[in-house]
Amino acid sequence: MPAMPVRYVGKCLSCQERSPDTADPDDAQLWCLKHAGATGDSGYELSAFLYFNAIMTDPAVGHRTAPPHS
């Protein structure tokens, strides 16, 4: 997906609850801090990720191919 922004998510390492994913790392970190205040949980992970599309191609032909059917 062209020009997709990096997304961020906060995760509580105690209860595994996660923040909504967001384009702003500060929003994910703020969710962690609010969760810590509400629960007393103290271990968190802040992750960055990127959405993308993968399209199958046939290198011999140089064009897209239909995905296999199940």
Side-chain angles (χ1 to χ4, degrees):
M1 300 173 115
M4 288 299 299
V6 173
R7 305 292 294 177
Y8 301 89
V9 67
K11 175 183 170 185
C12 176
L13 298 176
S14 297
C15 72
Q16 308 305 307
E17 193 170 338
R18 295 175 183 263
S19 71
D21 72 71
T22 176
D24 186 344
D26 291 341
D27 289 344
Q29 189 173 30
L30 181 58
W31 177 91
C32 295
L33 295 172
K34 287 179 178 180
H35 185 79
T39 65
D41 295 343
S42 61
Y44 293 86
E45 176 182 275
L46 182 64
S47 299
F49 62 95
L50 184 66
Y51 289 110
F52 67 94
N53 287 335
I55 299 170
M56 292 177 37
T57 61
D58 182 345
V61 179
H63 62 78
R64 294 179 182 178
T65 61
H69 296 289
S70 314

Coordinates of all heavy atoms in Angstrom, one line a residue:
M1 N 0.9 -1.2 0.0 CA 0.0 0.0 0.0 C 0.9 1.2 0.0 O 1.6 1.5 1.0 CB -0.9 0.0 1.2 CG -1.8 -1.2 1.3 SD -2.7 -1.2 2.8 CE -4.4 -1.0 2.2
P2 N 0.9 2.0 -1.0 CA 1.8 3.1 -1.1 C 1.5 4.2 0.0 O 0.4 4.4 0.4 CB 1.5 3.7 -2.5 CG 0.7 2.7 -3.2 CD 0.1 1.8 -2.2
A3 N 2.6 4.7 0.5 CA 2.6 5.8 1.5 C 1.7 5.5 2.7 O 1.1 6.3 3.3 CB 2.1 7.0 0.8
M4 N 1.7 4.2 3.2 CA 1.0 3.9 4.4 C 1.8 4.4 5.6 O 3.0 4.1 5.6 CB 0.7 2.4 4.5 CG -0.4 1.9 3.5 SD -2.0 2.7 3.8 CE -2.4 2.2 5.4
P5 N 1.2 5.0 6.5 CA 2.0 5.5 7.7 C 2.2 4.3 8.7 O 1.5 3.3 8.7 CB 1.0 6.5 8.4 CG -0.3 6.1 8.0 CD -0.2 5.5 6.6
V6 N 3.3 4.5 9.4 CA 3.6 3.5 10.5 C 2.5 3.6 11.5 O 2.0 4.7 11.8 CB 5.0 3.8 11.1 CG1 5.2 2.9 12.3 CG2 6.0 3.6 10.1
R7 N 2.0 2.5 12.1 CA 1.0 2.5 13.1 C 1.6 2.0 14.4 O 2.6 1.3 14.4 CB -0.1 1.5 12.7 CG -0.8 1.8 11.4 CD -1.5 3.1 11.3 NE -2.7 3.0 12.2 CZ -3.6 4.0 12.4 NH1 -3.4 5.1 11.8 NH2 -4.6 3.8 13.2
Y8 N 1.0 2.4 15.5 CA 1.6 2.0 16.8 C 0.5 1.4 17.7 O -0.7 1.8 17.6 CB 2.1 3.3 17.5 CG 3.2 3.9 16.8 CD1 2.9 4.9 15.8 CD2 4.5 3.6 17.0 CE1 3.9 5.5 15.1 CE2 5.5 4.2 16.2 CZ 5.2 5.2 15.3 OH 6.2 5.7 14.5
V9 N 0.9 0.5 18.6 CA 0.0 -0.1 19.5 C 0.7 -0.3 20.8 O 1.9 -0.7 20.9 CB -0.7 -1.4 19.0 CG1 0.4 -2.5 18.8 CG2 -1.8 -1.9 19.8
G10 N 0.0 -0.1 22.0 CA 0.5 -0.4 23.3 C -0.1 -1.7 23.8 O -1.3 -1.9 23.5
K11 N 0.7 -2.5 24.5 CA 0.2 -3.7 25.0 C 0.6 -3.9 26.5 O 1.8 -3.7 26.8 CB 0.8 -4.9 24.2 CG 0.4 -6.3 24.7 CD 1.1 -7.3 23.9 CE 0.9 -8.7 24.5 NZ 1.7 -9.7 23.7
C12 N -0.3 -4.2 27.3 CA 0.0 -4.5 28.7 C 0.5 -5.9 28.8 O -0.1 -6.9 28.3 CB -1.3 -4.4 29.6 SG -1.0 -4.9 31.3
L13 N 1.7 -6.1 29.4 CA 2.3 -7.4 29.5 C 1.8 -8.2 30.6 O 2.0 -9.4 30.7 CB 3.9 -7.2 29.6 CG 4.5 -6.6 28.4 CD1 6.0 -6.4 28.7 CD2 4.3 -7.3 27.1
S14 N 1.0 -7.6 31.5 CA 0.4 -8.4 32.6 C -1.0 -9.0 32.2 O -1.2 -10.2 32.4 CB 0.1 -7.4 33.8 OG 1.3 -6.9 34.3
C15 N -1.8 -8.2 31.5 CA -3.2 -8.8 31.2 C -3.4 -8.9 29.7 O -4.4 -9.4 29.2 CB -4.3 -7.9 31.8 SG -4.4 -6.3 31.0
Q16 N -2.4 -8.5 28.9 CA -2.4 -8.6 27.4 C -3.4 -7.7 26.7 O -3.6 -7.8 25.5 CB -2.7 -10.1 27.0 CG -1.8 -11.1 27.6 CD -0.3 -10.8 27.4 OE1 0.1 -10.6 26.2 NE2 0.5 -10.8 28.4
E17 N -4.1 -6.8 27.5 CA -5.0 -5.8 26.8 C -4.1 -4.9 25.9 O -3.0 -4.6 26.2 CB -5.7 -5.0 27.9 CG -6.9 -4.2 27.4 CD -7.7 -3.6 28.4 OE1 -7.7 -4.1 29.6 OE2 -8.4 -2.7 28.1
R18 N -4.7 -4.4 24.9 CA -4.0 -3.6 23.9 C -4.8 -2.3 23.6 O -6.0 -2.3 23.7 CB -4.0 -4.3 22.5 CG -3.1 -5.6 22.5 CD -3.2 -6.3 21.2 NE -2.4 -7.5 21.2 CZ -1.2 -7.6 20.8 NH1 -0.6 -6.6 20.3 NH2 -0.6 -8.8 20.8
S19 N -4.0 -1.3 23.3 CA -4.6 0.0 22.9 C -5.1 -0.1 21.5 O -4.7 -1.0 20.7 CB -3.5 1.1 22.9 OG -2.6 0.9 21.9
P20 N -6.0 0.8 21.0 CA -6.3 0.8 19.6 C -5.1 1.2 18.8 O -4.2 2.0 19.4 CB -7.4 1.9 19.5 CG -7.8 2.2 20.9 CD -6.7 1.7 21.8
D21 N -4.9 0.7 17.6 CA -3.7 1.1 16.8 C -3.9 2.6 16.4 O -5.1 3.0 16.2 CB -3.4 0.2 15.7 CG -4.3 0.2 14.5 OD1 -4.3 1.2 13.8 OD2 -5.1 -0.8 14.3
T22 N -2.8 3.3 16.3 CA -2.9 4.7 16.0 C -1.6 5.2 15.2 O -0.6 4.5 15.3 CB -2.9 5.5 17.4 OG1 -2.9 6.9 17.1 CG2 -1.8 5.1 18.3
A23 N -1.8 6.3 14.6 CA -0.6 6.8 13.8 C 0.3 7.6 14.7 O 1.4 7.9 14.3 CB -1.1 7.7 12.7
D24 N -0.1 7.9 15.9 CA 0.7 8.7 16.9 C 1.2 7.8 18.0 O 0.4 7.3 18.8 CB -0.2 9.8 17.4 CG 0.6 10.8 18.3 OD1 1.7 10.5 18.7 OD2 0.1 11.9 18.5
P25 N 2.5 7.7 18.1 CA 3.1 6.8 19.2 C 2.7 7.4 20.6 O 2.6 6.6 21.5 CB 4.6 6.8 18.9 CG 4.8 8.0 18.1 CD 3.6 8.3 17.3
D26 N 2.6 8.7 20.7 CA 2.2 9.3 22.0 C 0.8 8.8 22.4 O 0.6 8.6 23.6 CB 2.3 10.8 21.9 CG 3.7 11.3 21.8 OD1 4.6 10.6 22.1 OD2 3.8 12.5 21.4
D27 N -0.1 8.6 21.5 CA -1.4 8.1 21.9 C -1.4 6.7 22.4 O -2.0 6.4 23.4 CB -2.4 8.1 20.7 CG -2.8 9.5 20.2 OD1 -2.6 10.5 21.0 OD2 -3.2 9.7 19.1
A28 N -0.5 5.9 21.8 CA -0.4 4.5 22.3 C 0.3 4.5 23.7 O -0.1 3.7 24.6 CB 0.4 3.7 21.3
Q29 N 1.3 5.3 23.9 CA 2.0 5.4 25.2 C 1.0 6.0 26.2 O 1.0 5.5 27.4 CB 3.2 6.2 25.1 CG 4.1 6.1 26.3 CD 5.4 6.8 26.1 OE1 5.5 7.8 25.4 NE2 6.4 6.3 26.8
L30 N 0.2 7.0 25.9 CA -0.7 7.5 26.8 C -1.7 6.5 27.3 O -2.1 6.4 28.5 CB -1.4 8.7 26.2 CG -2.4 9.4 27.1 CD1 -1.8 10.0 28.4 CD2 -3.1 10.6 26.4
W31 N -2.2 5.6 26.3 CA -3.1 4.5 26.7 C -2.4 3.6 27.8 O -3.0 3.3 28.8 CB -3.5 3.7 25.5 CG -4.3 2.5 25.9 CD1 -5.7 2.5 25.9 CD2 -3.9 1.2 26.3 NE1 -6.1 1.3 26.4 CE2 -5.0 0.5 26.6 CE3 -2.6 0.6 26.5 CZ2 -5.0 -0.8 27.1 CZ3 -2.6 -0.7 26.9 CH2 -3.7 -1.4 27.2
C32 N -1.1 3.3 27.6 CA -0.4 2.5 28.6 C -0.4 3.2 29.9 O -0.6 2.5 30.9 CB 1.0 2.3 28.1 SG 1.2 1.3 26.6
L33 N -0.1 4.5 30.0 CA 0.0 5.2 31.2 C -1.4 5.2 31.9 O -1.5 5.0 33.1 CB 0.5 6.6 31.0 CG 1.9 6.7 30.5 CD1 2.3 8.1 30.1 CD2 2.9 6.1 31.6
K34 N -2.5 5.4 31.1 CA -3.8 5.4 31.7 C -4.2 4.0 32.2 O -4.8 3.9 33.3 CB -4.8 5.9 30.7 CG -4.8 7.4 30.4 CD -5.8 7.8 29.4 CE -5.8 9.3 29.1 NZ -6.8 9.6 28.1
H35 N -3.8 3.0 31.5 CA -4.1 1.6 31.9 C -3.3 1.3 33.2 O -3.9 0.7 34.1 CB -3.7 0.7 30.8 CG -4.0 -0.8 31.0 ND1 -5.3 -1.3 30.9 CD2 -3.3 -1.8 31.4 CE1 -5.3 -2.5 31.2 NE2 -4.1 -2.9 31.5
A36 N -2.1 1.8 33.3 CA -1.3 1.6 34.5 C -1.9 2.2 35.7 O -2.0 1.6 36.8 CB 0.1 2.1 34.3
G37 N -2.4 3.4 35.5 CA -3.1 4.1 36.6 C -4.4 3.4 37.0 O -4.7 3.4 38.2
A38 N -5.1 2.8 36.0 CA -6.4 2.2 36.4 C -6.2 0.8 36.9 O -7.0 0.3 37.7 CB -7.2 2.1 35.1
T39 N -5.1 0.1 36.6 CA -5.0 -1.3 37.0 C -3.8 -1.6 37.9 O -3.8 -2.6 38.6 CB -4.8 -2.2 35.7 OG1 -3.5 -1.8 35.1 CG2 -5.9 -2.1 34.7
G40 N -2.8 -0.7 37.9 CA -1.6 -1.0 38.7 C -0.6 -1.8 37.9 O 0.5 -2.1 38.4
D41 N -1.0 -2.3 36.7 CA 0.0 -3.1 35.9 C 1.1 -2.2 35.5 O 1.0 -1.0 35.3 CB -0.7 -3.6 34.6 CG -1.8 -4.6 34.9 OD1 -1.9 -5.1 36.1 OD2 -2.7 -4.8 34.0
S42 N 2.3 -2.8 35.4 CA 3.5 -1.9 35.2 C 4.4 -2.3 34.0 O 5.3 -1.5 33.7 CB 4.4 -1.9 36.5 OG 4.9 -3.2 36.7
G43 N 4.1 -3.3 33.3 CA 4.9 -3.7 32.2 C 4.2 -3.5 30.9 O 3.1 -4.0 30.7
Y44 N 4.8 -2.8 30.0 CA 4.1 -2.5 28.7 C 5.1 -2.7 27.5 O 6.3 -2.6 27.7 CB 3.6 -1.1 28.7 CG 2.5 -1.0 29.7 CD1 2.7 -0.7 31.0 CD2 1.2 -1.2 29.3 CE1 1.7 -0.6 32.0 CE2 0.1 -1.1 30.2 CZ 0.4 -0.9 31.6 OH -0.6 -0.8 32.5
E45 N 4.5 -2.9 26.4 CA 5.3 -3.0 25.1 C 4.6 -2.0 24.1 O 3.4 -2.0 24.0 CB 5.2 -4.4 24.6 CG 5.8 -4.6 23.2 CD 5.6 -6.1 22.8 OE1 6.4 -6.9 23.2 OE2 4.6 -6.3 22.0
L46 N 5.5 -1.2 23.5 CA 5.0 -0.3 22.4 C 5.5 -0.8 21.1 O 6.8 -0.9 21.0 CB 5.4 1.1 22.7 CG 5.0 2.2 21.7 CD1 3.4 2.3 21.8 CD2 5.6 3.5 22.0
S47 N 4.7 -1.2 20.2 CA 5.1 -1.7 18.9 C 4.7 -0.8 17.8 O 3.7 -0.2 17.8 CB 4.5 -3.1 18.7 OG 4.8 -4.0 19.7
A48 N 5.6 -0.8 16.8 CA 5.3 -0.1 15.5 C 5.1 -1.1 14.4 O 5.8 -2.1 14.4 CB 6.5 0.9 15.2
F49 N 4.2 -0.9 13.5 CA 4.0 -1.8 12.4 C 3.5 -1.1 11.2 O 3.1 0.1 11.3 CB 3.0 -3.0 12.8 CG 1.6 -2.5 13.2 CD1 0.6 -2.5 12.2 CD2 1.3 -2.1 14.4 CE1 -0.6 -2.0 12.5 CE2 0.1 -1.6 14.8 CZ -0.9 -1.6 13.8
L50 N 3.5 -1.8 10.1 CA 3.1 -1.1 8.8 C 2.2 -2.1 8.1 O 2.5 -3.3 7.9 CB 4.3 -0.8 8.0 CG 4.2 -0.1 6.7 CD1 3.7 1.3 6.9 CD2 5.5 0.0 6.0
Y51 N 1.0 -1.7 7.6 CA 0.2 -2.5 6.7 C 0.7 -2.5 5.3 O 1.3 -1.5 4.9 CB -1.2 -1.9 6.7 CG -2.0 -2.1 8.0 CD1 -2.3 -1.0 8.7 CD2 -2.5 -3.3 8.4 CE1 -3.1 -1.1 9.9 CE2 -3.2 -3.5 9.5 CZ -3.5 -2.4 10.3 OH -4.2 -2.5 11.4
F52 N 0.6 -3.6 4.6 CA 1.0 -3.6 3.2 C 0.2 -4.7 2.5 O -0.4 -5.6 3.1 CB 2.5 -3.8 3.0 CG 3.0 -5.2 3.5 CD1 3.1 -6.2 2.6 CD2 3.3 -5.4 4.8 CE1 3.5 -7.5 3.0 CE2 3.7 -6.6 5.2 CZ 3.9 -7.7 4.3
N53 N 0.2 -4.6 1.2 CA -0.5 -5.6 0.3 C 0.6 -6.5 -0.3 O 1.7 -6.0 -0.7 CB -1.3 -5.0 -0.8 CG -2.6 -4.4 -0.3 OD1 -3.1 -4.8 0.7 ND2 -3.1 -3.4 -1.0
A54 N 0.3 -7.7 -0.4 CA 1.2 -8.7 -1.1 C 0.4 -9.2 -2.3 O -0.7 -9.7 -2.1 CB 1.7 -9.8 -0.2
I55 N 1.0 -9.1 -3.5 CA 0.3 -9.5 -4.7 C 1.2 -10.6 -5.4 O 2.4 -10.4 -5.6 CB 0.1 -8.4 -5.7 CG1 -0.8 -7.3 -5.0 CG2 -0.5 -8.8 -7.0 CD1 -0.9 -6.0 -5.7
M56 N 0.6 -11.7 -5.7 CA 1.3 -12.8 -6.3 C 1.6 -12.4 -7.8 O 0.8 -11.8 -8.5 CB 0.5 -14.1 -6.3 CG 0.4 -14.7 -4.9 SD -0.7 -16.1 -4.8 CE -0.3 -17.1 -6.2
T57 N 2.8 -12.7 -8.2 CA 3.2 -12.4 -9.6 C 3.8 -13.7 -10.2 O 4.3 -14.5 -9.5 CB 4.2 -11.3 -9.8 OG1 5.3 -11.6 -9.1 CG2 3.6 -10.0 -9.2
D58 N 3.8 -13.8 -11.5 CA 4.5 -14.9 -12.2 C 5.7 -14.3 -12.8 O 5.6 -13.5 -13.8 CB 3.5 -15.4 -13.3 CG 4.2 -16.6 -14.0 OD1 5.4 -16.8 -13.9 OD2 3.4 -17.3 -14.7
P59 N 6.9 -14.6 -12.2 CA 8.1 -13.9 -12.7 C 8.4 -14.3 -14.2 O 9.0 -13.5 -14.9 CB 9.2 -14.4 -11.8 CG 8.6 -15.5 -11.0 CD 7.1 -15.4 -11.1
A60 N 8.0 -15.4 -14.7 CA 8.2 -15.8 -16.0 C 7.4 -14.9 -17.0 O 7.8 -14.6 -18.1 CB 7.9 -17.3 -16.3
V61 N 6.2 -14.5 -16.6 CA 5.4 -13.7 -17.4 C 5.5 -12.2 -17.1 O 5.3 -11.3 -17.9 CB 3.9 -14.2 -17.3 CG1 3.0 -13.4 -18.2 CG2 3.8 -15.7 -17.7
G62 N 5.7 -11.9 -15.8 CA 5.9 -10.5 -15.4 C 4.5 -9.8 -15.1 O 4.4 -8.6 -15.2
H63 N 3.5 -10.6 -14.8 CA 2.2 -9.9 -14.4 C 1.6 -10.7 -13.3 O 2.0 -11.8 -12.9 CB 1.3 -9.9 -15.7 CG 0.9 -11.2 -16.2 ND1 -0.1 -12.0 -15.6 CD2 1.3 -11.9 -17.3 CE1 -0.2 -13.1 -16.3 NE2 0.7 -13.1 -17.4
R64 N 0.5 -10.1 -12.8 CA -0.2 -10.6 -11.6 C -0.9 -12.0 -12.0 O -1.3 -12.1 -13.2 CB -1.3 -9.7 -11.1 CG -0.7 -8.4 -10.6 CD -1.8 -7.5 -10.1 NE -1.2 -6.3 -9.6 CZ -1.9 -5.3 -9.2 NH1 -3.2 -5.3 -9.2 NH2 -1.3 -4.2 -8.7
T65 N -1.0 -12.8 -11.1 CA -1.7 -14.1 -11.3 C -2.8 -14.2 -10.3 O -2.8 -13.5 -9.2 CB -0.8 -15.3 -11.1 OG1 -0.3 -15.3 -9.7 CG2 0.4 -15.3 -12.1
A66 N -3.8 -14.9 -10.6 CA -5.0 -15.1 -9.7 C -4.5 -16.0 -8.5 O -3.7 -16.9 -8.7 CB -6.1 -15.7 -10.4
P67 N -5.0 -15.7 -7.3 CA -4.6 -16.5 -6.2 C -5.2 -17.9 -6.3 O -6.3 -18.1 -7.0 CB -5.2 -15.8 -5.0 CG -6.2 -14.8 -5.5 CD -5.8 -14.6 -6.9
P68 N -4.6 -19.0 -5.8 CA -5.1 -20.3 -5.9 C -6.4 -20.4 -5.1 O -6.6 -19.7 -4.1 CB -4.1 -21.2 -5.2 CG -3.2 -20.3 -4.4 CD -3.3 -18.9 -5.0
H69 N -7.3 -21.2 -5.6 CA -8.6 -21.4 -4.9 C -8.6 -22.6 -4.0 O -7.9 -23.6 -4.3 CB -9.8 -21.6 -6.0 CG -10.0 -20.4 -6.8 ND1 -10.5 -19.2 -6.3 CD2 -9.6 -20.2 -8.1 CE1 -10.6 -18.3 -7.3 NE2 -10.0 -18.9 -8.4
S70 N -9.2 -22.5 -2.9 CA -9.2 -23.6 -1.9 C -10.4 -24.5 -2.2 O -11.4 -24.2 -2.7 CB -9.4 -23.1 -0.5 OG -8.6 -22.0 -0.2

